[in-house]
Amino acid sequence: MITAGLRRAIGADDPQLRPGPAPGSYTTSLPFRLGPDPGTAAEALAARLREQLWIATAEVTGPGFVTVTVTHATLARLAIRIAHAGSACAESDALAGRTVPGAGPTGAADWPQARAALAAELTVRLATAAGATIDPERPSVPAPPPPPRGPVAEAISYAGLDAVRFALARTPPGGPPPEAAVIARHVPANPAYAVRYAHAAAAAVLRWAAALGTRPAGFTPRLLAEPGELALLDALSWLPERVAVAARRGRPDEFAGYLAELAARTIDTMSTSSFRKIQDISSERLWLADAARTGLAAGLGLLGIEAPSRL
């Protein structure tokens, strides 16, 4: 979506984007890879980006960074674009032309084995969404078949498969194993629950509106301008880029961490009075709720986790 457009406008498979100082702003460090004079390269890149009508500003920051801010309308219309795209909202061609190893068996007897096997599986899922070709003849991390008993199986029995899967996906290499008693808690402070709760919260807004006969219709970008709404749109704008970066680095835990942040933004926004007073809700906010629901469902699907409409 926006980050994919920036990647094409910048002209690099990996423009090394990072969040800018405000919603809808993005900073690239690409000029540091373009030659011995990053400042001059940054000026040239910024001048080229200013020619794009959907980009409000492109400024050189620091010794060679370029910070781009898209127009408010571009950021706001992301709500419609994501809702229309469905699960494809997480896809891109960032890794097109690359071949990555296929994953081996995913069963495991202990937490380190389970994390390694799941990381291999999820890296394949993410890489595929980012346009890579998978080589099934080269399994990346072979793992033993699942045992009938063990700590992983016990945690699944206690906390549920989706909670364990998300917690394990979010575990970095060498990180401590998930605690079943913690990831089983049904509180927004528990990311393993919050990612599914956030999807259900966005779905509930749409369900309640439909019950009153209200559905997303017209769209006026300027009517999505509250700080929380802009922050949620900004978080959604990173979805395909976070997929591609996590796949490129072989770090699905980074994508799971991003999804937890997106869930927190969604919960905060869906909890405001603008979204809870369904009888007065605007069409623009219904589009945003739909986009949040769609983006979270796409992200959870890439992790192999159910996106519930009710919790």
Side-chain angles (χ1 to χ4, degrees):
M1 299 276 170
I2 288 177
T3 51
L6 281 173
R7 180 165 45 78
R8 289 190 290 269
I10 290 171
D13 291 337
D14 179 14
Q16 298 187 340
L17 293 174
R18 67 184 188 189
S25 64
Y26 311 83
T27 297
T28 175
S29 59
L30 181 66
F32 290 95
R33 293 188 293 162
L34 297 180
D37 186 357
T40 299
E43 290 285 359
L45 176 58
R48 192 170 77 245
L49 291 174
R50 292 187 197 107
E51 298 174 358
Q52 301 289 324
L53 296 179
W54 55 280
I55 292 177
T57 63
E59 301 174 338
V60 177
T61 52
F65 299 98
V66 175
T67 296
V68 175
T69 301
V70 301
T71 65
H72 175 265
T74 297
L75 183 61
R77 287 197 181 101
L78 193 63
I80 289 183
R81 294 177 65 192
I82 289 176
H84 283 168
S87 61
C89 69
E91 298 175 1
S92 72
D93 59 356
L95 298 186
R98 299 195 182 194
T99 300
V100 299
T106 57
D110 59 25
W111 288 114
Q113 289 177 337
R115 197 218 71 83
L118 183 60
E121 174 198 338
L122 296 184
T123 297
V124 170
R125 286 172 173 263
L126 295 170
T128 301
T133 300
I134 307 304
D135 182 359
E137 302 301 323
R138 297 168 53 215
S140 50
V141 180
R149 300 180 62 84
V152 179
E154 291 172 3
I156 292 173
S157 177
Y158 183 84
L161 177 59
D162 284 343
V164 171
R165 192 174 176 89
F166 182 83
L168 201 56
R170 194 164 176 257
T171 302
E179 297 181 32
V182 174
I183 63 175
R185 295 174 182 166
H186 285 199
V187 294
N190 170 24
Y193 172 76
V195 289
R196 292 171 290 146
Y197 173 75
H199 178 271
V205 170
L206 296 166
R207 185 172 62 252
W208 296 334
L212 294 175
T214 304
R215 298 180 184 278
F219 187 86
T220 304
R222 63 180 173 78
L223 297 183
L224 281 182
E226 294 295 325
E229 296 166 357
L230 296 178
L232 176 54
L233 285 163
D234 183 75
L236 285 165
S237 76
W238 285 96
L239 177 55
E241 186 70 11
R242 294 298 183 231
V243 169
V245 170
R248 188 182 289 114
R249 287 168 48 82
R251 292 290 302 274
D253 58 290
E254 295 179 352
F255 178 70
Y258 156 75
L259 210 59
E261 295 173 6
L262 176 58
R265 294 289 188 190
T266 300
I267 292 169
D268 287 347
T269 303
M270 297 303 115
S271 299
T272 62
S273 59
S274 297
F275 286 81
R276 297 186 70 85
K277 293 181 179 179
I278 301 300
Q279 65 275 18
D280 299 325
I281 196 168
S282 68
S283 181
E284 291 75 19
R285 291 189 170 113
L286 288 178
W287 280 114
L288 182 54
D290 201 359
R293 177 185 65 169
T294 301
L296 285 164
L300 287 169
L302 288 173
L303 298 184
I305 295 172
E306 180 187 3
S309 294
R310 300 174 186 263
L311 275 180

